[in-house]
Amino acid sequence: MKILAIESSCDETAAAVVEDGRVVLSSIVASQVEEHRLYGGVVPEIASRRHAESISGVVREALNAAEVTMEDIDAIGVTFAPGLIGALLVGVNFAKGLSLATGKPLIGVHHLRSHIAANYITHLKLKPPFLCLVVSGGHSHIVAVEDYTKMHVIGQTRDDAAGEAFDKAARTMGMPYPGGIELDKLAERGNERAYVLPHPTVAGSEFDFSFSGLKTAVINTIHNAEQKGTMIIKEDMCASFRRAVVDCLTENTFKAAEKFGAKTIVVAGGVSANTLLRREMARISAERNLELYVPRVSLCGDNAAMVGSQAYYEFLSGNVAELDLNAVATLPIDYR
Ligand code: KG4
Ligand code: ZN
């Protein structure tokens, strides 16, 4: 079964053709990041307008690259939630138009579920059940994935998402949006013990995260240094910050794995590209004899191949949408 998939939840317009949920025939991503960088973050209205301009070209490119036409496509998958509402609406409406014109079934896909599915196209044998750490620019969740379309949240962030924390800390140190990647690169050259940063936990909920205090600690350390007429060492601050975030993520994930008896751990979302997170997840999983899966780095960020994969499993579960499908800005991952 060939699915044409569309993603437009944030600042990437993407389309892909995926066969049977596992084989990527094409994957096209048009990023708007250069334009949003001018403003230090994603400007929702600009994002919607760029999606509207790019979407038909991106979809056509995905079909061409897969060497198929709409006639070869069996269903249309589209990210409908969560995300920037105006951005989501562009993809959803385009997919609805295609579905109406061709009579092909329409499948609404939850963005975080698709991030998890990036692992199904990276690791062809991977199947639920597993425990998944989903860390993106907007979300940080520990999710028990019982089946492809059956999951529940065990822990989540109480304030900033992990990616958001990385981006905010990077911005404080003068790096352009989205700074998470550059912070990660600088951290590779820094001393992670140089600065003592808090290790925030959430009282009464052992699997939840809180990252806003960490960001404040970075700002305070920079201000204190400035008041003393000195400067922080950027590489060292990046390394110390990254260590603190990664320790929080790994600690809660492995605590959850132990409590729920998980044997397989999966990481998903933009932050799963983080070098230290990948290293630490691998080290601790090996120590505890757990199987670990992380997405190929090129599939960590937003793309439509992962949407095509999840759409297949939603279709098999009977989750086919009608033409009144709407975009939803916030929706829990276990919505159905
Ligand atoms: O999943 P994603 O592409 O978009 C959302 O659904 O939010 O995640 C983007 C986030 C950004 O905050 C970005 O800075 C972060 O992932 N990110 C990283 C790295 N690569 C991307 N954060 C830390 N280290 C990285 N290597
Ligand atoms: Zn994403």
Side-chain angles (χ1 to χ4, degrees):
M1 177 181 188
K2 289 191 182 74
I3 294 183
L4 169 68
I6 295 173
E7 151 66 34
S8 71
S9 68
C10 191
D11 58 350
E12 262 96 32
T13 318
V17 179
V18 181
E19 190 158 20
D20 298 335
R22 297 280 177 163
V23 181
V24 182
L25 301 182
S26 69
S27 176
I28 306 293
V29 181
S31 177
Q32 312 168 358
V33 72
E34 293 297 331
E35 190 169 0
H36 296 293
R37 190 169 285 148
L38 300 173
Y39 306 96
V42 178
V43 183
E45 178 165 339
I46 294 178
S48 312
R49 288 172 183 274
R50 294 299 165 262
H51 287 310
E53 285 165 8
S54 323
I55 195 154
S56 59
V58 168
V59 167
R60 197 173 309 121
E61 231 184 292
L63 292 170
N64 289 345
E67 299 182 355
V68 297
T69 66
M70 274 312 290
E71 276 178 24
D72 305 310
I73 297 295
D74 301 296
I76 299 155
V78 63
T79 310
F80 77 104
L84 298 172
I85 195 71
L88 287 166
L89 277 167
V90 176
V92 167
N93 269 326
F94 194 89
K96 283 164 70 166
L98 268 182
S99 170
L100 180 66
T102 59
K104 316 271 177 181
L106 178 69
I107 307 157
V109 177
H110 190 286
H111 184 63
L112 295 183
R113 288 189 181 192
S114 70
H115 270 301
I116 296 173
N119 284 281
Y120 303 143
I121 47 185
T122 305
H123 311 284
L124 301 184
K125 298 244 157 66
L126 173 66
K127 286 188 185 130
F130 51 76
L131 187 78
C132 188
L133 172 68
V134 189
V135 270
S136 72
H139 299 85
S140 299
H141 282 13
I142 298 174
V143 184
V145 180
E146 287 157 25
D147 208 338
Y148 293 101
T149 58
K150 192 167 168 240
M151 48 197 83
H152 64 267
V153 177
I154 288 173
Q156 56 191 306
T157 185
R158 293 295 182 95
D159 39 59
D160 293 346
E164 191 181 359
F166 272 115
D167 293 343
K168 284 180 175 171
R171 191 178 176 167
T172 314
M173 289 181 261
M175 296 172 219
Y177 173 83
I181 303 164
E182 196 180 332
L183 188 151
D184 187 20
K185 279 191 197 136
L186 285 185
E188 286 292 292
R189 305 202 301 256
N191 171 8
E192 61 184 30
R193 289 179 224 272
Y195 295 100
V196 180
L197 296 174
H199 203 117
T201 52
V202 178
S205 50
E206 53 181 340
F207 304 123
D208 282 352
F209 304 108
S210 168
F211 295 116
S212 67
L214 253 176
K215 171 195 65 196
T216 313
V218 173
I219 294 172
N220 290 344
T221 310
I222 293 173
H223 286 172
N224 286 343
E226 280 167 359
Q227 276 164 3
K228 287 183 200 147
T230 59
M231 300 257 279
I232 58 148
I233 297 164
K234 223 193 234 182
E235 286 81 355
D236 290 351
M237 180 55 90
C238 289
S240 305
F241 180 81
R242 183 179 71 165
R243 167 53 70 180
V245 173
V246 168
D247 280 350
C248 292
L249 294 174
T250 52
E251 224 162 80
N252 287 12
T253 304
F254 287 103
K255 238 187 314 177
E258 195 172 341
K259 174 147 180 191
F260 296 100
K263 296 273 173 279
T264 307
I265 314 284
V266 173
V267 191
V271 181
S272 59
N274 187 268
T275 324
L276 183 67
L277 181 61
R278 290 170 90 96
R279 237 174 6 233
E280 283 295 273
M281 290 299 298
R283 182 184 66 78
I284 305 168
S285 297
E287 257 173 35
R288 302 186 180 198
N289 235 347
L290 301 171
E291 257 187 89
L292 175 75
Y293 296 90
V294 297
R296 202 176 304 137
V297 171
S298 61
L299 291 170
C300 290
D302 291 344
N303 65 84
M306 65 187 194
V307 180
S309 173
Q310 183 62 25
Y312 175 73
Y313 294 104
E314 297 291 344
F315 182 84
L316 293 186
S317 301
N319 299 340
V320 174
E322 298 298 325
L323 283 176
D324 61 356
L325 177 70
N326 205 347
V328 184
T330 35
L331 185 70
I333 196 168
D334 46 4
Y335 68 102
R336 69 190 297 169

